[in-house]
Amino acid sequence: MNIPFLDLKSPYTELKDELDSAYQRVMESGWFIMGAEVEAFEHEFAAYCEVKHCVGVGNGLEALHLILRAYGIGEGHEVIVPSNTYIATWLAVSYAGAIPVPVEPLAHTYYLDPEKVEAAITPRTRAILPVHLYGLLADIDPLIALAEKYDLKVIEDSAQAQGAHYKGRMSGSLGHAAGFSFYPGKNLGALGDAGAVITNDDKLVEQVRMLRNYGSKVKYYNDIKGYNSRLDEMQAAFLRVKLKHLDEWNMRRTKIASTYLDSLGQLTDLILPSVLDSTEPSWHIFPVRHSRRDDLQKYLKNKGVDTLIHYPVPPHLSGAYADLNMPKGTFPIAEKIASSELSLPMGPHLTLDEVGYITNAIREYIAKI
């Protein structure tokens, strides 16, 4: 077999009539920025996430950045971030002018260790920014308790967790605000870059709406120094179509994940994802870990199975954050994850026959070593 890591053609094939109709609707409207499609998507996505407000923005990084700016978090402030995440989480903090303060995850999971979070809080700390990495839900309640204790904000990075649940509550509705990415590979993916902010905070949403649109409520009247970060009409129309199918497609991902877990659960030295009790992951990515990750990846490639590494370089070891002077060994858990993680194919159009082929190949590899 030849199995891609992610199939982005089949979603269009399945939804062709609906997506083509959405395209036609926007083109015939003659309105392409900040119109009826964006307004409708904002209403529909807020309702889906069980919150009061949604603001469509340019991408997931800008969603987080605008939340931080809207809360007045900037120069001289600190924001606690995971040591193991995609660099966009850290960049959002840097763009706001604040300092990202990395904290390690619990060794057997990918989410923030609350004890280490509390130890990292200083008088300059203004927010905790947990990431629902891979679509596995971070344990939010202990972080909410810390935020209440120290008067902090909890801002969810929900870029990989559209449709996931924590104790019956929707991802993105758990903290004070959340940023979403709708990058094409996401569970709810646009056909280009797109993102959103969701919140129940009336004051925050007013600020975010101004910040995304040049700092303006009324055209040509600018109340604050803002940005140009607007979800466009075409992407909003596509997202409205895909949102109707998100739950079904997430169920397909869950079935695939369950098959992976059942088939690979007894393999020596292969670390499978750990799911927090009372959560329902979105399974954006299915990560496994192995001490000979690179060799396993090469073996699978030779078998026709494409895989990816999320993420080979932790942010503190990137050139972008060399100024923070955090050399190798500073965050050993994040570094171990980065050196051993391998993402297996995952998506709503992956077949169970393909999953069986992948798991058989992994079992063959481990039997050989």
Side-chain angles (χ1 to χ4, degrees):
M1 288 188 179
N2 289 302
I3 304 173
F5 173 73
L6 177 63
D7 178 2
L8 289 178
K9 294 181 180 179
S10 293
Y12 173 67
T13 301
E14 181 176 341
L15 304 180
K16 183 180 187 305
D17 290 345
E18 292 178 79
L19 291 170
D20 288 355
S21 176
Y23 164 81
Q24 195 73 29
R25 187 172 67 243
V26 174
M27 293 303 294
E28 290 177 352
S29 77
W31 194 288
F32 305 109
I33 299 289
M34 301 283 284
E37 297 290 345
V38 170
E39 184 177 348
F41 173 72
E42 289 176 341
H43 174 77
E44 290 160 9
F45 193 61
Y48 177 82
C49 294
E50 301 171 353
V51 297
K52 291 169 63 177
H53 305 292
C54 169
V55 184
V57 299
N59 55 65
L61 168 56
E62 291 173 358
L64 295 174
H65 171 219
L66 295 181
I67 293 169
L68 293 163
R69 279 293 316 275
Y71 274 133
I73 296 171
E75 188 174 350
H77 299 152
E78 296 175 349
V79 176
I80 292 174
V81 296
S83 59
N84 61 313
T85 185
Y86 184 53
I87 199 170
T89 312
W90 290 37
L91 289 174
V93 178
S94 298
Y95 286 178
I99 299 171
V101 177
V103 169
E104 291 268 71
L106 292 163
H108 62 290
T109 71
Y110 300 106
Y111 54 81
L112 284 171
D113 182 340
E115 290 186 7
K116 292 176 182 174
V117 169
E118 184 164 25
I121 294 172
T122 75
R124 295 180 296 278
T125 306
R126 294 295 181 273
I128 304 169
L129 213 171
V131 179
H132 301 307
L133 196 63
Y134 312 132
L136 301 170
L137 276 292
D139 194 4
I140 289 289
D141 283 352
L143 302 180
I144 294 289
L146 288 175
E148 292 174 351
K149 180 178 179 180
Y150 294 98
D151 193 23
L152 306 175
K153 300 297 184 184
V154 173
I155 301 166
E156 297 172 71
D157 184 336
S158 292
Q160 301 183 4
Q162 298 98 332
H165 292 79
Y166 176 90
K167 299 182 180 179
R169 295 173 283 161
M170 292 293 293
S171 164
S173 70
L174 310 171
H176 295 91
F180 283 86
S181 166
F182 304 124
Y183 182 77
K186 296 295 194 288
N187 295 39
L188 178 60
L191 303 186
D193 273 324
V197 171
I198 68 169
T199 186
N200 287 312
D201 187 329
D202 297 338
K203 291 183 179 179
L204 176 74
V205 79
E206 182 179 352
Q207 287 294 111
V208 171
R209 288 193 185 281
M210 284 196 294
L211 284 168
R212 73 162 173 183
N213 190 37
Y214 300 104
S216 173
K217 292 181 183 178
V218 179
K219 193 170 184 177
Y220 302 130
Y221 293 83
N222 304 85
D223 301 313
I224 57 177
K225 295 183 178 73
Y227 305 88
N228 177 8
S229 180
R230 301 175 298 201
L231 175 64
D232 69 64
E233 285 287 282
M234 192 69 75
Q235 298 304 336
F238 292 147
L239 287 168
R240 292 183 67 199
V241 171
K242 286 189 159 187
L243 180 59
K244 293 185 291 186
H245 300 272
L246 178 57
D247 286 343
E248 179 192 346
W249 286 10
N250 277 351
M251 287 177 64
R252 297 184 200 174
R253 289 173 178 269
T254 298
K255 188 171 184 178
I256 292 164
S258 296
T259 304
Y260 275 139
L261 291 168
D262 290 342
S263 300
L264 301 175
Q266 303 304 316
L267 294 182
T268 305
D269 297 331
L270 189 72
I271 301 175
L272 301 180
S274 177
V275 178
L276 184 68
D277 289 343
S278 302
T279 68
E280 298 174 22
S282 62
W283 294 112
H284 172 58
I285 290 167
F286 192 90
V288 300
R289 290 166 52 199
H290 195 272
S291 59
R292 299 177 62 176
R293 183 268 313 280
D294 294 345
D295 195 38
L296 173 58
Q297 184 177 42
K298 182 178 179 181
Y299 185 86
L300 291 174
K301 181 66 174 178
N302 289 335
K303 289 284 188 177
V305 179
D306 284 339
T307 59
L308 288 181
I309 298 170
H310 294 88
Y311 301 96
V313 181
H316 72 281
L317 296 182
S318 67
Y321 284 99
D323 59 310
L324 295 184
N325 192 28
M326 297 177 176
K328 190 172 182 179
T330 304
F331 298 104
I333 297 176
E335 292 168 23
K336 188 171 184 179
I337 293 170
S339 67
S340 60
E341 191 275 344
L342 186 67
S343 300
L344 303 183
M346 170 57 77
H349 297 88
L350 187 68
T351 70
L352 292 183
D353 284 344
E354 289 172 324
V355 174
Y357 181 85
I358 295 164
T359 56
N360 285 338
I362 294 172
R363 285 197 295 268
E364 286 174 7
Y365 172 78
I366 290 180
K368 292 175 183 292
I369 61 175

